Amino acid sequence: MNNLKSLLLGLSFFSLITITAQQKYTLSGTITEENSNETLIGVTIAFPELRTGVTTNEYGFYSITLPEGEYQVLVSYLGFKEIVQNIALDKDTKIDFKLTEEAEQLEEVVVTENVEKMDIRKPQMSVNTLSVSTIRKIPVILGEADVIKSILLLPGVTNAGEGASGFNVRGGAVDQNLILLDEAIIFNSSHLFGFFSVFNPDAIKDIKLYKGGIPARYGGRVSSVLDIFQKEGNSRELKVNGGIGAVASRLLVEGPIKKDKAAFLIGGRASYAHLFLPLFDVDNTAYFFDLNTKLNYKLNANNNIFLSGYFGRDVFGINDSFVNTYGNTVANFRWNHLFSDKLFSNLSLIYSDYYYGLKLDFVGFNWNSGIRNFNVKYDLKHYVNDKLQINYGLNNIYYQFNPGKIEPSNSESGILEEQLTQKYANEFAAYIDVEHRVTENLSLGYGLRFSNFIRLGQDELNIYENDNPVLFDPFLLIYQEAEPIEVINPGRGGSLATFSNFEPRASLAYTFNSKSSIKASYTRLAQYLHLLSNTSSPTPLDVWTPSGPFVEPQLLDQYALGYFRNINDGEYSIESEVFYKDIQNRIDYIDGANLIANDAIEQVILNGEARAYGLEFLLRKNEGRFQGWLAYTLSKSEQRTPGRPAVEDNGRSNLESGINLGQWYNTPYDKTHDVSLFASYELNKKWSFNTNFVYQTGQPTNYPVGQFEFQGLTIPYFGLRNEERLPDYHRIDVSATLTPKKNANRKVQGEWIFSIYNLYNRRNAASINFRRNQDTGVNEAIRTSIFGVVPAVTYNFKF
């Protein structure tokens, strides 16, 4: 009897547990923009009662698993009206939300309850996001909205000066930035040698810059990741927008192929300032053009396919005797598949090509070179529950490097056709990345990336005595190119070198309350490609080369710690971070290194190391008519290449002098102080005003430290590398935007942008050169400046 009672009590207790245990269900769906059906990235779906939430991924998908019950869900996104909706979660549910832009909302949404906006505090740090609307407000040279020029106003981001290509992040070089457009690698982000970027703002949907704490799904570069996604196209109605500027114009058309199922987007830009040069008896050319395309098709509720592409070219010529042509070509086919309401996948097949060439009629030959890659990516995102998300995937890239091919431009040139040895490589990676909310206050991010790089065989390979392609002369204290003792043909079938690296990532965020948090991160990255450039700003002639028998991959360890705070319910925000970066195997060049058309580049480079550290501060005003930010960076960026151990004939060990006597020296992109201010004020519906102020410590450079006479000539000589600096850089830009009142009978909506670049006509030095004055015979310094004050007018339209 007692046993029966015990059994009944046990069954009753088990039944009680079963009844009281909360069943969990999954809420999932896609969030799009109401008028265009464009998916939205990073939309917040919050549940204030549970103090939890989630954000949409790169394709607008979200998923969250919660206990059974009735909840209020808050859907919010910058620039769009919030949605507040009550839901009963008693089964797995799919809800697709459509957001409406604030400017187009006819009736204000009234929230009757005091709902606290949930701030999703992820462990991800060192990330900056700029909206396209903000980029359009920022005054830039010649009035053209520019993605790269805009991110230069963020803390930790600089470049090598006006007219310089690319950008530098936290003391890193230009080639250490991974630039992605719809997941395809962009090898040169600049038009006209840095005056414009290759990204058409009309075609861009989302921009993220990762400076540290980089997720494990990214790899291949050791400084930053600039991840850009194009719009998908309006599947509701035909839309046209564009702009007419002082030196370039643009046009973008998007619309449905099949309403709510398929859409297209096509956009183009072209510059035309060169057309006016003949009026001034100038027979030179300098122009660019590019084309953005995208198609998307919704097969069904679980499958979407996308086809996107970009093609761009720059042409710079002098009297038709010298023509430089370069640009990017990329294409990407993507397939989104939803295995379940918790498992999302994306398969991408990507082609990327960067071409750079020269036509040199005055010497009778053409030069063509480039880098091409084929990339296969498969990424999955598993929404385990509201506290745990797992990302994992595979990536394989095949590279083909063409360092240069010389062809005679005519039969009388006397130039023989020559192909420099082409190089081949394969880079494989597998990763897993976890977002883990441990408690209400503590969130973790941790992951691991495994990368494997194989330098494949090639037609010719130099063999050197003691495997040493660079020799050191202990008497002259200089490095010299070693002569190969043999040239072999390994063939394409084998491999020349293999490198494997584990790249752990870890980050955490601890929130003290709803207003403040601290974050920390550790990142390890490997970079297997190197840009061969001995100038501070890369040029189209610079050549990419893979790691191999004589070039080790770059390895980064970065540590960051930050404090973040919202003020006045998010009206203001403060972000502050300190960072330290250590990079192994950063290549350096021997004195007098010749990089152009060099088929034995290993003879002029040495492996060194680099480091960078600093403090970043960002104060933002996020709401109201007056918005903007103040950014300040205090940092140091250094590099060194100590001497290699050597053995003399008598067996005694000594040390080479190294580059710069083996001492640390400033990198060309070291900027001690960097201040950026951006402010935007909306006076009324017709007028808005924008300004930015930039101040930077002068760029490191070399000046002569003395001179000597030789056979009647005065020869200058230089000291250690980058000991001097150009004068400090600063300027103010302003713009005013006029949006005329829209006539109800007109379909075209336009705006005028009046801008002045470098308002007070600061003659910032791009370089300083020294020469002897022909009249006085006295040595003098000549400052070269690219821009003074530059006014511009741009007209933008849409219908």
Side-chain angles (χ1 to χ4, degrees), residues 134-149:
T134 299
I135 291 173
R136 289 197 180 106
K137 293 177 183 178
I138 296 175
V140 293
I141 184 70
L142 298 170
E144 291 295 315
D146 194 286
V147 171
I148 301 298
K149 295 293 188 297

Side-chain angles (χ1 to χ4, degrees), residues 652-765:
R652 290 180 304 170
S653 178
N654 70 345
L655 194 67
E656 300 174 357
S657 63
I659 303 296
N660 208 58
L661 301 179
Q663 301 176 15
W664 289 100
Y665 68 91
N666 296 324
T667 63
Y669 21 88
D670 173 63
K671 305 287 180 70
T672 308
H673 301 284
D674 180 13
V675 180
S676 301
L677 172 67
F678 168 69
S680 175
Y681 180 70
E682 185 177 345
L683 179 64
N684 50 46
K685 292 184 178 180
K686 290 183 62 175
W687 285 99
S688 62
F689 302 92
N690 307 284
T691 185
N692 38 268
F693 168 74
V694 176
Y695 170 85
Q696 295 176 355
T697 299
Q699 178 183 332
T701 189
N702 294 297
Y703 296 149
V705 297
Q707 62 185 33
F708 60 90
E709 296 288 334
F710 178 73
Q711 296 183 352
L713 298 176
T714 301
I715 310 297
Y717 63 89
F718 296 82
L720 299 179
R721 292 192 184 187
N722 293 343
E723 282 194 316
E724 308 295 336
R725 289 184 182 271
L726 296 176
D728 291 351
Y729 179 99
H730 53 86
R731 70 171 202 275
I732 290 179
D733 313 322
V734 295
S735 70
T737 302
L738 170 62
T739 307
K741 184 178 180 181
K742 185 178 179 181
N743 189 319
N745 297 321
R746 291 179 59 191
K747 292 185 178 181
V748 179
Q749 182 179 347
E751 66 176 14
W752 291 91
I753 301 177
F754 308 93
S755 64
I756 302 177
Y757 179 87
N758 196 0
L759 180 64
Y760 52 81
N761 198 31
R762 164 76 173 176
R763 307 299 293 185
N764 288 299

